[in-house]
Amino acid sequence: PDKREQFEKFMHEIFWPMASKLSLEEQQVFKQTRILHPAGPEEDGNYNYIFIMDPLVIGGNYDIQSLLRKQYGEDQGAAYFKMFDDTQARPQKIYSLVQSKH
């Protein structure tokens, strides 16, 4: 919970703004991804954020570490990835879903 501000700063001030430095295909990944912020903490006090890729860019690069290297170079990209990684309370969960017809 004490890393919430760091996570949001990373996403909205460091990672997302530099999408314009990427290829057009990688920029499309950002355009088609939304971040949902939690209304409050979970029972354990942590905050869960949801990333919705809609629609998913087939073959698109969603790897934060790789994108940071392209945005900032090897050294600064590694430092920013550590900043991001330090905000994680546990491994991320990934759900592959399809939209219903109704």
Side-chain angles (χ1 to χ4, degrees):
D2 60 325
K3 299 286 185 161
R4 183 178 189 189
E5 186 177 322
Q6 179 176 322
F7 177 81
E8 291 182 8
K9 178 180 179 174
F10 170 81
M11 280 296 152
H12 299 295
E13 296 178 26
I14 295 169
F15 188 53
W16 233 261
M18 289 296 284
S20 63
K21 301 287 184 188
L22 300 169
S23 71
L24 291 177
E25 181 179 330
E26 289 164 329
Q27 288 179 41
Q28 195 64 34
V29 164
F30 280 81
K31 289 177 186 173
Q32 292 175 204
T33 300
R34 298 188 321 260
I35 304 172
L36 300 182
H37 288 245
E42 298 297 318
E43 288 183 14
D44 65 1
N46 288 308
Y47 291 85
N48 291 323
Y49 294 78
I50 297 175
F51 293 79
I52 298 177
M53 292 77 167
D54 185 28
L56 182 73
V57 176
I58 303 300
N61 182 3
Y62 290 91
D63 181 66
I64 291 175
Q65 189 170 23
S66 165
L67 292 167
L68 284 169
R69 281 192 207 120
K70 290 179 180 185
Q71 291 168 315
Y72 290 99
E74 201 65 39
D75 292 340
Q76 188 63 49
Y80 279 140
F81 184 74
K82 181 174 181 352
M83 178 186 187
F84 165 75
D85 198 43
D86 286 347
T87 67
Q88 307 301 296
R90 63 184 70 81
Q92 297 178 14
K93 291 183 183 180
I94 299 173
Y95 300 94
S96 295
L97 308 167
V98 293
Q99 186 168 322
S100 69
K101 295 181 187 212
H102 295 73

